[in-house]
Amino acid sequence: MGVRPPLLDEVARRGHAVFERGLYNLNIIGIRSPDRTSNTFNDRICVVYRDGDGWVTRTFAATTDPGVYWREHPMNVRGTAIMCPGQYRGSHVLGYHRGRYRALVQSRPVRYWRDGNRDEVLDMEPGTDESGVVGLAIHRASASRTSTEIGKFSAGCQVFADPDEFDLFVSLCERAAELYGPRFSYTLIEMGD
């Protein structure tokens, strides 16, 4: 079925599990850019899996950071959540984002920082992370157009810029769920570390 994609080698090098057995066994990988420009979709979400022809890697524009609005107006008095890099086995399940549309919703704890100083700068201090279920979903921004600014679309979630790409992602998740169940693992890595 071909050579394993280099991205999966990188995930394994970091000590994380790689899902290789069976068709449509999805590796969902967020890649946080070192570019810390506020309010931009400068990160990627990749889905790596095998289909009947071999390995497939799909890469989508996304954000793994909260938008400036929620950094300045956090929902939690302690600050806005920013997911820490790591692998979160079975952390997300197919469900509905805010009860409105199909997405992957958080169902098990993940590690995150709280950015509580209400400015545009992301505060991700080693040793200050927490763990819990705080609603960090994997969803889309606008339903009708590709978004160029995060705005209110992310309060710490992993968010796709393009609704058509997100629809493809959900269809892959639904196909995988038919084979393996509705629970998904998510791996977040930082580019360049």
Side-chain angles (χ1 to χ4, degrees):
M1 290 288 265
V3 176
R4 183 166 81 175
L7 179 55
L8 294 186
D9 292 336
E10 181 62 21
V11 168
R13 185 187 72 74
R14 292 168 188 250
H16 302 311
V18 171
F19 307 106
E20 299 183 78
R21 293 185 179 203
L23 302 181
Y24 296 95
N25 196 355
L26 306 183
N27 293 274
I28 304 171
I29 305 159
I31 303 174
R32 181 175 283 146
S33 169
D35 176 2
R36 297 292 189 233
T37 304
S38 298
N39 252 10
T40 59
F41 289 91
N42 55 3
D43 302 322
R44 298 288 173 264
I45 293 178
C46 302
V47 183
V48 185
Y49 59 95
R50 288 187 305 123
D51 67 9
D53 297 323
W55 285 105
V56 177
T57 301
R58 298 193 181 270
T59 303
F60 308 106
T63 184
T64 63
D65 310 322
V68 170
Y69 178 85
W70 294 113
R71 289 186 230 168
E72 293 176 346
H73 306 90
M75 289 186 216
N76 185 299
V77 295
R78 293 184 6 254
T80 299
I82 304 169
M83 189 182 292
C84 297
Q87 184 171 67
Y88 304 102
R89 298 288 298 270
S91 60
H92 288 77
V93 66
L94 267 171
Y96 288 86
H97 180 59
R98 301 169 111 191
R100 295 193 319 241
Y101 60 89
R102 293 285 271 177
L104 293 186
V105 295
Q106 185 190 358
S107 61
R108 290 190 177 158
V110 301
R111 287 182 13 261
Y112 58 91
W113 294 287
R114 286 280 182 199
D115 185 344
N117 62 357
R118 299 173 187 250
D119 64 12
E120 292 187 17
V121 178
L122 292 169
D123 296 316
M124 301 179 284
E125 298 297 323
T128 64
D129 59 292
E130 303 174 24
S131 180
V133 178
V134 292
L136 298 179
I138 303 172
H139 65 88
R140 62 161 164 73
S142 171
S144 59
R145 61 175 174 75
T146 299
S147 300
T148 57
E149 185 175 290
I150 299 168
K152 293 182 179 180
F153 288 121
S154 177
C157 295
Q158 316 296 283
V159 180
F160 282 68
D162 184 317
D164 295 331
E165 291 180 349
F166 179 72
D167 288 346
L168 172 60
F169 171 74
V170 169
S171 71
L172 289 170
C173 291
E174 289 173 338
R175 184 156 192 187
E178 291 172 2
L179 299 168
Y180 309 104
R183 191 166 292 285
F184 294 85
S185 297
Y186 179 63
T187 305
L188 177 60
I189 62 176
E190 290 190 329
M191 192 183 308
D193 66 356

